[in-house]
Amino acid sequence: MEGAPAGPLGIIAGHDLLPRLIAEQRRAEKQPYLVITFSADPEPWLREHPHEVHEFEKPGRLFAALQRARCQDVVFAGAMARPRLRPWRADGKAAGLLGEVLRLMAHGDDALLSGLAGIFEAEGFRVVGADTCLSGLTCRPGVLGRHAPAPGARADVARGAAIISALGPFDVGQAVVMAEGRCLGIEAAEGTDALLARVAALPDGPGSGGVLVKTAKPAQDRRFDLPAIGSRTIEAAAGARLAGIAIEADVVCVLERDATVAAADATGLFLWSVGPGALGR
């Protein structure tokens, strides 16, 4: 993989599958790594991997742990909620960074994450994307399972991609649900699963023709918050009575691809990896 970490990797773990998959691949390849979690109640999978629990308010301790593990590369993986900072717990390093962090938190998630990357880089770390750490995350253009999209899906996919592009400068979502030219829902801070739950609750839902369109926002920093789907997304889309899911080829990650494609096949949904032409780009 181009740009893949050559030495010990620090995995800053959020929620969802991605940090676990990266840790499992590092272990399988016998490559050194250290998982960092900010959860006071670490997820069970962490017991099988070298990990430490840290606090947002103590970056000095965090940087020291990564340095002890000889981590020059760091990856942010998985969804992360904005922290509720407790200034009274701040260490000396945090006190010096507090003004910058508060300034960043006044902006959208993209600006916040890019700013945090700058803080790590100032400490001598290289921030890398999850797609440089885990092989086979994205897909080339084409239908991934047994079910092909109906001819009318192409127009909905292009329109949905245009909506995401238009809203990108406002740091709003990576997904929309379209049906026969109508936008039934736009992803915001709640995430794709919650978007699909909202669509499922609509009294006149999409019927059999709706499609979830998931792409990257324009000019998105690929080191953070890579758009991703998995088998849980398939289940939620089926619950919303959609016809299928369209993802941006070579950009959107498909976690546990075999299981995700199998889930789409089993539920009758199409899973379409869409190139720039079909996205209208």
Side-chain angles (χ1 to χ4, degrees), residues 16-37:
D16 301 325
L17 279 173
L18 192 53
R20 176 172 66 81
L21 294 176
I22 293 174
E24 287 175 350
Q25 179 159 310
R26 297 291 292 186
R27 181 177 61 185
E29 295 176 346
K30 295 182 169 47
Q31 296 289 333
Y33 63 100
L34 173 66
V35 183
I36 300 293
T37 179

Side-chain angles (χ1 to χ4, degrees), residues 31-55:
Q31 296 289 333
Y33 63 100
L34 173 66
V35 183
I36 300 293
T37 179
F38 296 102
S39 173
D41 185 20
E43 296 183 31
W45 66 267
L46 284 166
R47 300 184 193 124
E48 301 176 12
H49 302 273
H51 72 278
E52 294 187 13
V53 178
H54 284 264
E55 299 177 66

Side-chain angles (χ1 to χ4, degrees), residues 175-177 184-187 190-200 212:
V176 299
V177 174
L184 301 183
I186 299 171
E187 180 188 47
E190 80 279 34
T192 304
D193 289 351
L195 161 64
L196 292 168
R198 282 195 282 116
V199 172
L212 171 69

